[in-house]
Amino acid sequence: MSQSPSTETGGARDRPPGGIEGVPLARALVVAVSGPALLAVAPASAHWLAPAAIAGLGVAACLLPRRGAKAARAAVASEAARETRFAAGTETVVDALPEPALVVDATLQLHHGNPAALRAFGTLIVGEAISLRFRAPEFLAALEEAIATEGGGKASLAENRASGLAWAVDVLPLAQAGGGAPSRFLLLFRDRTAERRIERMRTDFVANASHELRTPLSSLIGFIETLQGPARDDQAARERFLAIMREQAARMSRLIDDLLSLSQIEMKRPPAPGHTVDLVELLEDVRHLLEPVLEDSGVTAELEVEPGDYVVQGEHDELVQVFSNLIENACKYGASGERVLLSLAFEPGEPRTIRATVRDFGPGIAAEHVPRLTERFYRVNVESSRAKRGTGLGLSIVRNILLRHSARLVIWSEPGMGSAFSVLFPIRKK
């Protein structure tokens, strides 16, 4: 009995925290140990102490394993709760990102996708491999390589769908709640479609410009070699070849002029406020300016103007270039209709808009060509365009000038009915 206080004090100092239903583990051990001791020193009371001793041993036997199991369960539960809170915090941050983002594990199984990813890629199922959605072997291989380093990396994805979307993907390791090697990775998608389209346009432009210049240049070189060789003393051949060479040189000059004009237009700022142009006077000026072209084409130009004030903000010379190009095209490709109609009218509805139209009554253009007419170097018929001294840049120049004027070009055409090129000018409030 005299040892009980020291045993309890030592137990209080050495015991781990916790207990079962509020009973400290050391107190249960006291019951188990002191029960047999009571039997030894007080045999007269054995009839009620014996059950107490046996009960104490049973309690101790039960409490020891139950105490360890509960501590283990508590530790697991605490760790799980911490992981849950950490994952929830990570998902909150990922959901706030404006770019599409996915959280995957080392096997590329999806664990989370933010709202931007759902909008960009459609339905994504948590627990499935992202290879079921992104069927691009090179992209998946780049992801696996980046994940294997545990330090992240980069990948690129070009979707083979009608959208033609292109993505640059950053692979970023996510730290774990308890530290250690990362088991989750963030895939951050950045849209590079516009940059890729611009790069493709730049490449196509250089290729097309080189081709357009190479053809007449090759012709010039060939005729020069002929005149220096077999046709050196052939007067008739020399006259014929020199005429062709002059035409090819003029073609190169027109192309270079259009290229320079397009480059200058793209670098200019929008017209300063206060510069105004009367479209009625401008169309009259352009019609008189192009009288020789109209006569050579056998085309008459008519002007129809509905009552009203057709003054817009803009640069006079640039708008002359717009309508000169449109009327020249009408003469080149719609001459069979024998007339070109120039018209000015107000568009109904709000905001109010002025419609200036150049219409021909020629063969028209097939519907599949209309959306691409303003592309650089695009031609419905390459040979016909070159025969008519076209460079393939006229409508592209028109479009860029109109963009600077906050105006837009609308094209209508139907085979056998002719074509109409309408410029829509916004009417700014004073």
Side-chain angles (χ1 to χ4, degrees):
M1 290 294 292
S2 61
Q3 294 179 353
S4 295
S6 62
T7 303
E8 187 171 347
T9 302
R13 183 175 61 250
D14 300 331
R15 70 173 181 267
I20 299 298
E21 299 178 356
V23 180
L25 182 60
R27 190 171 301 171
L29 291 173
V30 170
V31 173
V33 173
S34 59
L38 289 174
L39 287 174
V41 299
S45 304
H47 64 281
W48 62 271
L49 289 175
I54 295 172
L57 290 173
V59 169
C62 294
L63 289 178
L64 285 172
R66 288 180 62 193
R67 172 64 183 88
K70 184 167 183 179
R73 287 196 299 271
V76 171
S78 176
E79 182 65 22
R82 183 168 59 174
E83 290 288 349
T84 300
R85 290 192 301 271
F86 184 79
T90 300
E91 292 177 3
T92 300
V93 174
V94 171
D95 286 345
L97 295 174
E99 300 93 353
L102 305 177
V103 177
V104 300
D105 60 21
T107 63
L108 295 181
Q109 300 287 325
L110 179 65
H111 285 261
H112 183 68
N114 70 351
L118 297 179
R119 290 192 296 270
F121 307 127
T123 303
L124 298 167
I125 301 176
V126 172
E128 286 191 352
I130 64 170
S131 58
L132 297 176
R133 169 58 182 80
F134 303 104
R135 300 182 182 277
E138 293 182 359
F139 169 63
L140 296 173
L143 292 182
E144 291 174 352
E145 182 178 352
I147 288 174
T149 64
E150 295 185 356
K154 296 183 179 295
S156 59
L157 172 66
E159 298 206 55
N160 298 320
R161 298 187 298 174
S163 61
L165 294 175
W167 304 92
V169 185
D170 292 323
V171 184
L172 307 171
L174 297 176
Q176 292 195 96
S183 60
R184 300 286 186 272
F185 295 84
L186 176 67
L187 308 184
L188 185 61
F189 291 76
R190 301 183 187 277
D191 192 350
R192 294 293 181 263
T193 306
E195 296 175 10
R196 187 182 182 191
R197 186 180 296 118
I198 291 172
E199 182 62 32
R200 188 185 301 115
M201 288 174 59
R202 184 183 297 111
T203 302
D204 292 345
F205 175 74
V206 172
N208 288 327
S210 301
H211 175 75
E212 292 294 330
L213 289 170
R214 187 186 299 113
T215 301
L217 185 60
S218 299
S219 178
L220 284 172
I221 293 172
F223 283 120
I224 290 172
E225 291 175 349
T226 303
L227 290 173
Q228 291 177 334
R232 179 188 299 272
D233 300 321
D234 189 336
Q235 181 66 27
R238 185 162 59 248
E239 293 296 329
R240 186 173 71 256
F241 291 162
L242 286 173
I244 298 173
M245 291 169 64
R246 179 171 182 172
E247 174 58 31
Q248 294 301 317
R251 176 183 167 188
M252 292 178 64
S253 178
R254 290 193 301 271
L255 179 58
I256 291 172
D257 288 343
D258 281 352
L259 287 172
L260 290 175
S261 178
L262 186 60
S263 176
Q264 291 171 356
I265 291 167
E266 289 179 338
M267 291 188 296
K268 284 184 179 180
R269 295 180 178 180
H275 291 238
T276 59
V277 178
D278 187 325
L279 293 179
V280 178
E281 295 178 0
L282 184 138
L283 289 180
E284 287 284 7
D285 292 343
V286 173
R287 184 168 62 163
H288 292 311
L289 180 67
L290 295 179
E291 280 181 356
V293 176
L294 293 167
E295 290 178 2
D296 290 344
S297 303
V299 174
T300 59
E302 304 170 6
L303 178 60
E304 293 183 356
V305 181
E306 294 183 2
D309 184 8
Y310 293 96
V311 176
V312 299
Q313 293 189 9
E315 296 287 347
H316 179 273
D317 291 345
E318 291 187 1
L319 293 181
V320 166
Q321 188 175 7
V322 166
F323 289 101
S324 295
N325 279 344
L326 293 179
I327 294 173
E328 286 181 356
N329 280 348
C331 293
K332 290 177 184 177
Y333 306 109
S336 60
E338 299 182 351
R339 70 187 181 108
V340 173
L341 178 61
L342 313 178
S343 63
L344 286 170
F346 290 97
E347 286 287 286
E350 291 292 339
R352 296 194 66 197
T353 305
I354 293 175
R355 178 183 286 264
T357 302
V358 177
R359 180 176 180 184
D360 67 67
F361 298 86
I365 305 168
E368 63 268 20
H369 297 293
V370 172
R372 301 190 61 187
L373 291 178
T374 58
E375 292 181 14
R376 299 173 182 179
F377 296 109
Y378 185 81
R379 297 180 174 95
V380 175
N381 187 308
V382 176
E383 295 303 324
S384 174
S385 176
R386 288 176 178 168
K388 293 180 171 63
R389 301 180 178 181
T391 63
L393 294 174
L395 289 179
S396 183
I397 291 173
V398 167
R399 181 179 66 86
N400 280 276
I401 292 176
L402 294 180
L403 286 174
R404 293 185 59 248
H405 286 72
S406 299
R408 59 193 180 97
L409 181 67
V410 178
I411 303 173
W412 169 89
S413 187
E414 187 174 334
M417 299 293 291
S419 305
F421 294 79
S422 298
V423 179
L424 303 183
F425 292 95
I427 301 177
R428 293 183 173 87
K429 297 181 179 180
K430 297 181 181 180

